[in-house]
């Protein structure tokens, strides 16, 4: 297996980007409630994302960047990414979160990945517009994984997907190996393996002869 696709919020990171952004303008509790409903599959992900981003309208972009700068990787996540890349594995992050937060977290740890598929928050006149753009609003992670395998020249069976929430189900259901990282109750049945720490994940990857 030569392609490993990670979710970000709730998987590689325990930061929740929209909540960090919401803290900057006093709407974090509303953000958290919408996020939880989406992760439990009670509301369509695209709708939940639009609702959360709409709450950010008018947030100064400098404050938005301050929120992105708080995004961090989970303990051990950088080690897993480094080990995979040293083993020649193609590492991708597929997230409904935002490019700037992912980039900030990776930069802090001094690690890189091969591809980031993420969304963006448009800025006008120095403030967030309340909109959202990107491939993973209406688009799903199975489609993104299909594109990656085509780019790399691998069969989809030779992939591992790692995620936790309802919007990860599409990629978990089509990957060669579906790994749940502390998955939500409605996601766990779609996972072939469940882990709770990055050390456990590294053991699974070693057991699959990926590392």
């Amino acid at each position: 297996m030569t392609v490993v696709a990670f979710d970000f919020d709730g998987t590689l990171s325990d930061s929740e980007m929209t909540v960090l952004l919401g803290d900057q303008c006093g709407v974090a509790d509303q953000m958290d409630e919408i996020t939880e409903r989406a992760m439990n599959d009670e509301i369509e992900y695209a709708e939940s994302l639009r609702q959360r981003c709409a709450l950010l309208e008018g947030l100064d972009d400098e404050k938005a960047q301050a929120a992105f700068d708080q995004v961090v990787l989970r303990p051990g996540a950088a080690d897993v990414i480094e080990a995979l890349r040293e083993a020649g594995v193609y590492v991708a992050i597929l997230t409904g979160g935002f490019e700037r937060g992912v980039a900030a977290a990776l930069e802090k740890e001094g690690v890189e990945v091969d591809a980031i598929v993420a969304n963006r928050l448009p800025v006008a006149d120095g403030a967030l517009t309340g909109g959202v753009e990107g491939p993973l609003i209406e688009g799903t992670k199975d489609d993104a994984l299909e594109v990656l395998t085509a780019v790399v020249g691998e069969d989809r069976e030779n992939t591992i997907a790692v995620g936790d929430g309802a919007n990860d189900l599409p990629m978990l259901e089509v990957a060669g190996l579906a790994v749940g990282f502390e998955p939500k109750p409605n996601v766990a049945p779609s996972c072939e393996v469940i882990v709770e720490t990055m050390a456990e994940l590294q053991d699974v990857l070693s057991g699959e002869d990926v590392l």
Side-chain angles (χ1 to χ4, degrees):
M1 296 185 183
T2 58
V3 177
V4 177
F6 289 98
D7 170 49
F8 191 77
D9 290 318
T11 301
L12 283 178
S13 173
D14 58 8
S15 306
E16 177 56 56
M17 278 186 239
T18 52
V19 173
L20 290 172
L21 288 160
D23 279 335
Q24 295 288 335
C25 53
V27 295
D29 288 345
Q30 292 166 263
M31 291 277 193
D32 200 26
E33 181 182 339
I34 297 169
T35 298
E36 194 63 25
R37 291 180 65 203
M39 290 298 98
N40 287 321
D41 216 13
E42 296 170 14
I43 181 175
E44 287 292 330
Y45 179 78
E47 177 59 24
S48 78
L49 184 58
R50 290 192 179 97
Q51 287 182 16
R52 285 175 282 166
C53 293
L55 293 170
L56 299 172
E57 183 178 0
L59 178 64
D60 187 272
D61 191 48
E62 289 186 4
K63 290 186 176 181
Q65 189 58 51
F68 290 132
D69 288 342
Q70 295 177 59
V71 180
V72 295
L73 297 181
R74 270 183 202 281
D79 295 333
V80 172
I81 292 170
E82 285 182 342
L84 285 168
R85 299 201 74 215
E86 285 173 7
V89 175
Y90 189 95
V91 180
I93 294 173
L94 311 183
T95 177
F98 309 112
E99 287 177 350
R100 288 164 66 185
V102 174
L106 294 174
E107 186 176 351
K108 276 191 196 74
E109 297 286 349
V111 293
E112 296 180 350
V113 297
D114 296 286
I116 298 171
V117 182
N119 294 323
R120 298 172 298 279
L121 295 174
V123 177
D125 299 322
L128 301 189
T129 66
V132 58
E133 301 172 345
L136 289 176
I137 303 170
E138 297 289 351
T140 53
K141 294 187 181 183
D142 55 335
D143 292 334
L145 187 59
E146 192 74 46
V147 171
L148 287 177
T149 55
V151 168
V152 178
E154 273 297 332
D155 292 331
R156 198 168 58 187
E157 291 75 18
N158 296 330
T159 61
I160 297 175
V162 188
D164 72 307
N167 67 321
D168 298 317
L169 282 170
M171 72 172 180
L172 291 168
E173 289 170 350
V174 301
L177 179 67
V179 180
F181 193 99
E182 294 185 333
K184 300 294 188 291
N186 65 310
V187 176
S190 296
C191 301
E192 296 164 76
V193 181
I194 291 176
V195 298
E196 296 183 354
T197 66
M198 285 293 156
E200 287 181 28
L201 176 58
Q202 195 151 358
D203 288 343
V204 168
L205 296 171
S206 295
E208 294 289 330
D209 294 327
V210 177
L211 296 178

